[in-house]
Amino acid sequence: MSAAESGKTASAVSESKGGAVTARTGGELVGEHGKTSIADAVVAKVAGMATREVPGVYAMGSGLSRAVGAVRERLPRAGGPSITRGVMVEVGERQTAIDLDMIVEYGVSIPDLANGVRRNVISAVEKICGLEVTEVNITVGDVHLPDEEAEPAEPRVQ
C-alpha cells in the first residue's frame, strides 16, 4: 500500500551528505534507501507501555474492555494481556492524538497522575515514533481500592 493510499505521507526530513537522515518529525522515515512507515498499533503500544510505567496507574481500559480482556487472557494462545487495552490513537502525517482510559490507585492525586502520564506518553511517543503528540486525553473510569480483589471471587452458583 502506498503512502497516499494509507493516508500517511512523508514528513519533512532533512538529509545530510550520503542520504543519512538527520532529523525526522513524521510518521514515515524517508531516506536514500527507502522509507519506514509506523503503524497505528505501534503508537498504541508505545503509549500503553508509557502509561503503565507511571506509578499510580492500576489498570487500563473501561469496565467492558477489562472484562473481555480478562476472559481473553485465560484462553490458551490468546497472547496474554493486551498492552493496547484502554488506548486509542489517531495518527496523521506528522502528528498523533491519544486517548487513554484507566483505573487509578486510591489515594493518588488524579490531576498529578494525569500530568505525569501525559509527560511520559508524549516523551515516549515523540522519542520512539518521531510523531508530534497534539493531545493526550485521559478518562479515569474507576479507582482501585486497597481491599478490592484483583480477580472476582468464585461464583456462588455453579
Side-chain angles (χ1 to χ4, degrees), residues 3 15 26 29 54 66 71 73 89 92 107 117 122 127 141 151:
E15 296 184 14
L29 179 68
V54 179
R66 282 183 300 141
V71 170
E73 289 171 16
V89 299
V117 166
I122 290 168
K127 178 182 176 187
E151 296 295 321

Side-chain angles (χ1 to χ4, degrees), residues 136-156:
V136 177
N137 299 309
I138 298 173
T139 300
V140 177
D142 201 358
V143 174
H144 178 258
L145 301 175
D147 59 344
E148 288 180 333
E149 294 182 31
E151 296 295 321
E154 289 293 318
R156 299 187 311 164

Side-chain angles (χ1 to χ4, degrees), residues 65-125:
S65 72
R66 282 183 300 141
V68 170
V71 170
R72 182 180 178 270
E73 289 171 16
R74 293 181 183 182
L75 296 174
R77 299 185 197 210
S82 173
I83 297 300
T84 60
R85 182 184 313 150
V87 181
M88 296 290 296
V89 299
E90 193 175 326
V91 180
E93 295 176 11
R94 295 176 198 91
Q95 301 175 325
T96 186
I98 301 167
D99 296 325
L100 304 171
D101 192 2
M102 62 187 190
I103 289 124
V104 301
E105 294 281 355
Y106 175 78
V108 174
S109 167
I110 293 173
D112 290 345
L113 179 64
N115 287 332
V117 166
R118 278 189 186 94
R119 277 192 305 273
N120 207 43
V121 168
I122 290 168
S123 174
V125 170

